Amino acid sequence: MPSPRTSAVPETTTGAWKPTWSPGHTRPGLPLLTVVHDPHDDHAFMTAALAAHTPAAGRITVHPTPVASAPASLAHDLLRSLGKHLPVTGNEDDAYWTGNTETAWRAVAAWMLALRIGHVIVTRTHRISSRHFEYLFALRELTKIRLTLLCHGPLPPALATALAALRHEEAHTLAAARRAVSAPAPPPPAHRFAWWEADGQLPPHEGEPCFLLPTRRTPSRGHVEAAARHLGRTVLPLPAAGRFSPEPDEPTALLARRLHARIAHPVHAAALAVRVFAAQTDLPARTGRGQGLRTPSWAVDLLEAARHFGQLEGREDNTSLPLRSWDHAAVTEAAHTCGLYEHQAPGAKPHSAATTSSSRRQPAVRPDAGGHTSTRPGSMRPAGTQPTADNRE
């Protein structure tokens, strides 16, 4: 299975990647497509497929949402199988991308490349649309995954037509199905952050522990205690920005698990991660003296996924996060979802990180105590971004 440190968008891709597939342009050398036939809908076939779901080994099982025919719906199911939760707020800035077919499938591809996913098992494929087959095959072409399709009924015409042009194998017995879905996979590399153990509780538990966004200065104990009293929740300590060790301590690991599970868009997750460990959103992360920072282990896959996403959008610049103006409110909402709050100046009236309903109404930027730009209390817009014409003071 290719390592995300060396894997890249295929050389044949020019410009932005689109989830389109043609049987006459199949890449050579792809793993055989496997079709498992379960015409009598035997529960044992489904049990075997679900048991094969082992993200740590690069294998996921996708159970498509019944009767969901929207072009992006299967991409959403793939993201959920990767442990990623879609936005739940309904805020248009937060969720705009989920309804865009190409963006949703690029997010899936970016995560799969970064997270070393090498085998995807899809159940109930006798019910998915011909368009979804096209997207799946396009994803297979791009990422070179092993794709196993379980048909619990008659073979759909779209799949039958595609199989005539694809190298594939078929399984008709339960024993063959078990072999197909549980092919050996390599163990996860040593010292890799266990993103598959992420905390995906959404909506978040009321009263769950929260965090203060790191700045260059470590907050005093009194500051933390005051924030905890105001929020009515435990505030867990985080290192100061720029001082995160390669391996996370317990509070940092808890936050990292939330970042991995509660943010489905790779760029939004990466932007918040860099804001946490470096107090900025640009890549590569740099200190105030211009020296590069070592990326903590828990953030490596997040940044890698964001880079892949930028490539899939056709961006040549791979040294910065491809954030657009409307992404900032989404990053703000992601921070809320993960339980991150801004520091308050001593004596200031406490505020939590408030949601902006539109990216046109983001608050102005002010420097934090360490001299780095951040948002004024009550917001979470990424540091280093500029206010819009509607809110400049």
Side-chain angles (χ1 to χ4, degrees), residues 283-297:
L283 295 178
R286 297 189 179 279
T287 64
R289 296 180 180 180
Q291 298 174 339
L293 287 177
R294 180 176 180 180
T295 302
S297 63

Side-chain angles (χ1 to χ4, degrees), residues 98-130:
T98 61
N100 184 292
T101 302
E102 291 183 0
T103 302
W105 281 95
R106 286 171 189 157
V108 171
W111 284 122
M112 291 183 64
L113 288 166
L115 300 180
R116 300 178 174 90
I117 301 302
H119 188 182
V120 175
I121 302 162
V122 186
T123 68
R124 299 290 177 195
T125 53
H126 63 295
R127 291 184 176 179
I128 68 176
S129 68
S130 58

Side-chain angles (χ1 to χ4, degrees), residues 238-278:
L238 292 174
R243 298 179 185 176
F244 281 78
S245 62
E247 299 303 320
D249 57 19
E250 187 173 345
T252 303
L254 174 60
L255 173 60
R257 288 193 289 269
R258 292 182 188 177
L259 294 175
H260 276 269
R262 299 183 182 183
I263 313 174
H265 195 301
V267 174
H268 300 166
L272 188 54
V274 180
R275 173 61 184 86
V276 168
F277 77 79

Side-chain angles (χ1 to χ4, degrees), residues 10-382:
E11 295 177 359
T12 54
T13 300
T14 56
W17 175 73
K18 299 178 184 297
T20 57
W21 173 80
S22 169
H25 296 86
T26 301
R27 291 173 60 86
L30 292 177
L32 280 177
L33 173 68
T34 303
V35 179
V36 176
H37 295 268
D38 175 26
H40 304 296
D41 200 4
D42 187 339
H43 182 68
F45 282 77
M46 180 67 76
T47 299
L50 296 178
H53 180 77
T54 49
R59 180 172 57 230
I60 62 171
T61 298
V62 185
H63 195 53
T65 303
V67 303
S69 59
S73 63
L74 186 57
H76 298 167
D77 293 326
L78 280 157
L79 288 169
R80 295 185 187 100
S81 294
L82 289 166
K84 312 298 178 183
H85 285 254
L86 298 172
V88 296
T89 64
N91 182 294
E92 64 180 20
D93 292 308
D94 188 21
Y96 75 91
W97 65 272
T98 61
N100 184 292
T101 302
E102 291 183 0
T103 302
W105 281 95
R106 286 171 189 157
V108 171
W111 284 122
M112 291 183 64
L113 288 166
L115 300 180
R116 300 178 174 90
I117 301 302
H119 188 182
V120 175
I121 302 162
V122 186
T123 68
R124 299 290 177 195
T125 53
H126 63 295
R127 291 184 176 179
I128 68 176
S129 68
S130 58
R131 183 175 293 179
H132 286 156
F133 281 119
E134 177 184 350
Y135 298 153
L136 271 177
F137 294 149
L139 183 69
R140 173 175 174 258
E141 296 275 341
L142 178 79
T143 61
K144 301 181 181 179
I145 55 170
R146 177 179 180 182
L147 182 60
T148 300
L149 306 177
L150 273 67
C151 291
H152 309 274
L155 203 67
L159 179 56
T161 301
L163 292 180
L166 290 173
R167 293 176 58 250
H168 68 281
E169 59 184 359
E170 301 189 20
H172 294 271
T173 66
L174 180 57
R178 286 173 173 161
R179 288 194 297 270
V181 300
S182 59
H191 308 299
R192 186 183 182 199
F193 182 74
W195 60 268
W196 50 88
E197 298 176 357
D199 177 10
Q201 174 62 38
L202 279 181
H205 290 296
E206 288 189 17
E208 69 176 11
C210 59
F211 309 87
L212 297 179
L213 263 175
T215 61
R216 295 294 181 195
R217 296 180 181 178
T218 303
S220 67
R221 180 176 179 180
H223 191 163
V224 173
E225 291 175 349
R229 286 194 300 270
H230 167 64
L231 296 169
R233 299 158 65 180
T234 300
V235 176
L236 298 180
L238 292 174
R243 298 179 185 176
F244 281 78
S245 62
E247 299 303 320
D249 57 19
E250 187 173 345
T252 303
L254 174 60
L255 173 60
R257 288 193 289 269
R258 292 182 188 177
L259 294 175
H260 276 269
R262 299 183 182 183
I263 313 174
H265 195 301
V267 174
H268 300 166
L272 188 54
V274 180
R275 173 61 184 86
V276 168
F277 77 79
Q280 63 184 66
T281 56
D282 290 338
L283 295 178
R286 297 189 179 279
T287 64
R289 296 180 180 180
Q291 298 174 339
L293 287 177
R294 180 176 180 180
T295 302
S297 63
W298 54 266
V300 169
D301 288 336
L302 301 178
L303 271 61
E304 189 72 17
R307 291 188 181 98
H308 281 301
F309 186 86
Q311 288 178 300
L312 294 171
E313 281 200 321
R315 292 173 176 263
E316 296 182 0
D317 177 13
N318 209 26
T319 62
S320 62
L321 291 168
L323 280 171
R324 297 184 174 91
S325 60
W326 55 81
D327 288 306
H328 298 315
V331 177
T332 295
E333 191 58 44
H336 304 164
T337 302
C338 293
L340 278 162
Y341 293 83
E342 287 280 356
H343 282 261
Q344 303 294 320
K349 183 178 179 180
H351 293 277
S352 65
T355 305
T356 55
S357 61
S358 169
S359 59
R360 293 189 302 273
R361 293 190 285 111
Q362 296 162 14
V365 174
R366 290 185 178 178
D368 64 21
H372 295 267
T373 54
S374 63
T375 54
R376 65 173 62 173
S379 72
M380 285 281 300
R381 189 161 52 79

